[in-house]
């Protein structure tokens, strides 16, 4: 599902126009991004938790040349879904 399809489906479910729905989604995403940039953790009930974690400096090896390289530390975005979503994903994977 792309952004346009998501906005159209959300607009039909909420009764708002697509323009209003798109503006609301943009606002929510912008606010989430601003809080994550500050290092805050976002917990959305019945969905999951977003948090920024620091990945430590590490050494990797190029498999072709066997050359070792140092990868600097960096910040990554981590998402942990609630248990109900995990269970639904496991069930749908087992059915395939």
């Amino acid at each position: 599902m792309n952004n346009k399809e998501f906005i159209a489906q959300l607009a039909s479910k909420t009764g708002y126009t697509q323009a209003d729905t798109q503006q609301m989604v943009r606002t929510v995403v912008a606010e989430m991004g601003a809080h994550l940039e500050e290092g805050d953790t976002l917990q959305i009930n019945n969905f999951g938790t977003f948090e920024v974690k620091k990945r430590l400096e590490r050494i990797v090896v190029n498999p072709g040349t066997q050359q070792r390289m140092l990868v600097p530390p960096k910040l990554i975005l981590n998402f942990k879904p609630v248990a109900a979503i995990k269970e639904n994903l496991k069930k749908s994977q087992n059915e395939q």
Side-chain angles (χ1 to χ4, degrees):
M1 174 180 283
N2 64 27
N3 188 48
K4 189 174 182 179
E5 294 167 342
F6 175 70
I7 296 296
Q9 189 173 6
L10 190 59
S12 69
K13 286 186 177 186
T14 60
Y16 291 104
T17 65
Q18 286 193 16
D20 289 342
T21 304
Q22 186 172 23
Q23 183 61 37
M24 284 187 272
V25 169
R26 283 183 182 167
T27 302
V28 168
V29 170
E31 282 298 312
M32 288 176 69
H35 285 282
L36 289 169
E37 285 176 3
E38 293 174 6
D40 296 341
T41 298
L42 294 174
Q43 183 176 358
I44 301 173
N45 291 338
N46 300 322
F47 186 66
T49 304
F50 294 91
E51 65 181 330
V52 177
K53 290 187 173 184
K54 185 173 184 177
R55 180 174 283 172
L56 299 176
E57 182 176 72
R58 59 197 167 103
I59 297 174
V60 296
V61 179
N62 181 334
T65 63
Q66 299 300 318
Q67 181 182 7
R68 293 175 159 238
M69 295 178 286
L70 185 64
V71 177
K74 62 181 177 180
L75 299 176
I76 58 167
L77 181 61
N78 187 35
F79 173 69
K80 183 178 180 184
V82 294
I85 292 177
K86 284 183 182 180
E87 287 299 318
N88 289 340
L89 289 173
K90 285 181 184 178
K91 287 178 186 176
S92 65
Q93 182 182 11
N94 291 338
E95 292 174 1
Q96 291 180 357

